[in-house]
């Protein structure tokens, strides 16, 4: 596929911030453990945060965070997500 699993997790969260990790895993096509690891990496990078609501998490994306690779370091996550949701 063209996008990474990290990007797929961001797209899933942007479409439904209250998805469970199990649901994200099913949408992305990876294990729940992989989603846990990806979310931890995205949080550590300041791209995603979560709020605990009862027994569930609600995720928020920092649309102003930039991509890490030097070729795309001037592109914000929000811009990427706009492109992925443009055809919905």
């Amino acid at each position: 596929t063209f996008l990474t699993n990290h990007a797929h997790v961001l797209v899933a969260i942007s479409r439904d911030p209250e998805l469970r990790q199990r649901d994200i895993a099913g949408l992305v096509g990876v294990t729940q453990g992989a989603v846990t690891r990806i979310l931890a990496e995205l949080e550590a990078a300041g791209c995603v945060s979560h709020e605990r609501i009862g027994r569930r998490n609600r995720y928020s994306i920092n649309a102003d965070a930039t991509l890490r690779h030097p070729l795309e370091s001037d592109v914000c996550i929000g811009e990427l997500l706009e492109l992925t949701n443009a055809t919905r």
Side-chain angles (χ1 to χ4, degrees):
T1 63
F2 185 72
L3 298 175
T4 65
N5 288 337
H6 286 67
H8 286 132
V9 168
L10 287 169
V11 169
I13 291 171
S14 73
R15 293 181 179 173
D16 185 353
E18 296 183 8
L19 282 174
R20 297 175 300 173
Q21 289 184 10
R22 174 185 342 185
D23 300 325
I24 296 169
L27 290 169
V28 175
V30 297
T31 66
Q32 188 172 343
V35 170
T36 300
R37 179 185 52 79
I38 289 168
L39 285 169
E41 291 172 0
L42 290 171
E43 280 202 70
C47 300
V48 173
S49 61
H50 75 278
E51 174 187 4
R52 191 85 172 156
I53 300 174
R55 295 178 57 187
R56 301 200 53 176
N57 289 325
R58 178 168 178 52
Y59 297 97
S60 298
I61 296 173
N62 177 2
D64 295 327
T66 56
L67 301 179
R68 294 185 323 175
H69 194 281
L71 287 174
E72 298 98 18
S73 62
D74 60 336
V75 177
C76 294
I77 290 175
E79 293 172 304
L80 173 68
L81 293 174
E82 283 179 26
L83 291 172
T84 61
N85 290 318
T87 59
R88 284 194 77 203

